[in-house]
Amino acid sequence: MTPFAFHIANDRAEALALAADGARFVGGGTNLVDLLRQNVDSASQLVDVSRLTSDIQEADGGALLIGASMKNSALAAQPLIRERYPMLSRALLAGASAQIRNMATVGGNIMQRTRCAYFYDVDGARCNKRQPGGGCDAIGGFNRYHAILGASNNCVATHPSDMCVALAALSAVVHLAGPAGERTVPLAEFHALPGASPQIESVLQPGEMITAVELPPATPAMVNSEYRKLRDRSSYAFALVSVAAGLDVVEGKVAEVRIALGGVAAKPWRATHAEAALRGLPATRANFLSAAEEELAEARPLEGNAFKIGLAQRTIAAVLESLAGDPA
């Protein structure tokens, strides 16, 4: 690990001022410190922002503003989250280990980088995300965990966050502050697909920091929601496929549906095609499965992960059937 200076910011203004010198923000450090220790990433200065806003504020109308420094475990346990947005609480509890959840922050979770083994293999593998133009050994390598949607010839890595999958399904909004002022970005638009520039992973600009995440007022489909994660072992592991979904059925037909997928792309994948296909249809397993097949129609599997297509389709259908009231 290369030596770096470490600063502790006591408020947003101090954090932004320190970042003007090129410093990096760090919350719980559960990902960035790993990357620095393994020489995957580098930094000359770190600014600890874990003392900044870590509470939940409720706005008029019922929207919630979650401070970026809130710990993942604390957010999962919040009664407002468990009652109004159960898919988010369950996604948080499905991520990592209890020890990591106690350290990881909401802002850091959004900013965590791929766990692609070739990205981490500094000495033995080519990676366009780490070294643009260097090549991608994952495409012809062991790619069981890699993307089937939205990938490119330059990168097939997936985003590892469970929390972000639920936030995408909930239409959450990310609040940012930086040298040019404050702005908001929908979570579904925050992360970037790889295209020709896989090293660009989000819309975050130099010197900008995540200050909060906003959840819209809860709807019936947000309250009746679930997060299901499929992985290679029952203890902590990254998702092969995960589904965050919410459903509201009125008189037997789909009135509102929300679906997002994890483990399939470089960003949380909002299943807009499946959602559009289902609205107004009878809430049946056949319709759920047909919509899931429509969502995955554009999937492009690699040699080692074609199983993800069927796994994602069946999981979407099973979760929605469970939410509709029939055992999946």
Side-chain angles (χ1 to χ4, degrees):
M1 177 185 287
T2 303
F4 54 81
F6 185 77
H7 312 280
I8 298 176
N10 293 301
D11 55 44
R12 183 187 303 181
E14 183 180 9
L16 293 175
L18 288 166
D21 294 329
R24 305 276 298 276
F25 298 118
V26 62
T30 56
N31 185 210
L32 180 56
V33 172
D34 267 354
L35 295 169
L36 296 177
R37 184 165 49 84
Q38 299 188 46
N39 295 319
V40 180
D41 205 343
S42 62
S44 59
Q45 298 183 70
L46 294 184
V47 178
D48 180 354
V49 293
S50 63
R51 296 186 181 184
L52 276 57
T53 309
S54 60
D55 59 358
I56 292 182
Q57 301 175 27
E58 185 169 8
D60 293 341
L64 296 182
L65 197 63
I66 303 165
S69 297
M70 173 164 266
K71 303 294 188 184
N72 285 187
S73 54
L75 181 59
Q78 281 285 324
L80 284 177
I81 300 299
R82 297 176 64 182
E83 294 166 6
R84 299 182 188 178
Y85 314 95
M87 72 163 78
L88 177 55
S89 179
R90 291 168 187 167
L92 286 159
L93 293 175
S97 65
Q99 292 90 340
I100 291 174
R101 293 195 296 270
N102 287 338
M103 287 296 295
T105 63
V106 169
N109 194 320
I110 293 172
M111 289 302 298
Q112 66 177 309
R113 306 189 70 187
T114 181
R115 261 61 174 186
C116 173
Y118 298 95
F119 174 65
Y120 273 79
D121 189 359
V122 174
D123 298 322
R126 298 178 300 158
C127 175
N128 286 318
K129 188 181 288 292
R130 196 181 61 241
Q131 295 178 321
C136 174
D137 281 339
I139 292 176
F142 181 74
N143 43 46
R144 174 176 172 80
Y145 299 98
H146 291 75
I148 57 173
L149 290 166
S152 75
N153 292 331
N154 296 291
C155 183
V156 292
T158 55
H159 195 268
S161 171
D162 295 291
M163 181 192 78
C164 288
V165 181
L167 291 180
L170 292 168
S171 302
V173 174
V174 183
H175 288 236
L176 306 172
E182 300 181 7
R183 64 184 178 122
T184 58
V185 179
L187 187 282
E189 300 173 12
F190 182 83
H191 300 99
L193 292 176
S197 304
Q199 75 279 11
I200 300 173
E201 298 175 345
S202 74
V203 300
L204 200 71
Q205 297 298 309
E208 272 191 319
M209 60 184 294
I210 298 171
T211 59
V213 174
E214 180 180 350
L215 297 179
T219 64
M222 295 180 188
V223 175
N224 181 39
S225 66
E226 183 181 341
Y227 183 75
R228 192 172 297 186
K229 179 178 181 179
L230 287 303
R231 47 190 166 182
D232 276 334
R233 59 185 187 191
S234 57
S235 62
Y236 65 93
F238 295 102
L240 292 168
V241 168
S242 66
V243 174
L247 183 67
D248 180 31
V249 178
V250 177
E251 297 181 350
K253 295 185 177 180
V254 176
E256 182 190 7
V257 60
R258 294 172 172 273
I259 308 168
L261 306 176
V264 297
K267 60 186 293 182
W269 190 267
R270 183 72 183 261
T272 54
H273 296 299
E275 291 177 345
L278 280 171
R279 292 188 187 102
L281 288 184
T284 65
R285 180 177 179 83
N287 284 335
F288 296 150
L289 191 55
S290 176
E293 290 170 351
E294 185 170 336
E295 186 64 44
L296 274 296
E298 296 182 1
R300 298 291 179 270
L302 301 163
E303 183 177 0
N305 66 6
F307 71 94
K308 282 190 175 186
I309 296 176
L311 186 63
Q313 292 168 342
R314 293 190 298 274
T315 306
I316 290 171
V319 171
L320 291 177
E321 190 174 17
S322 175
L323 293 171
D326 295 325

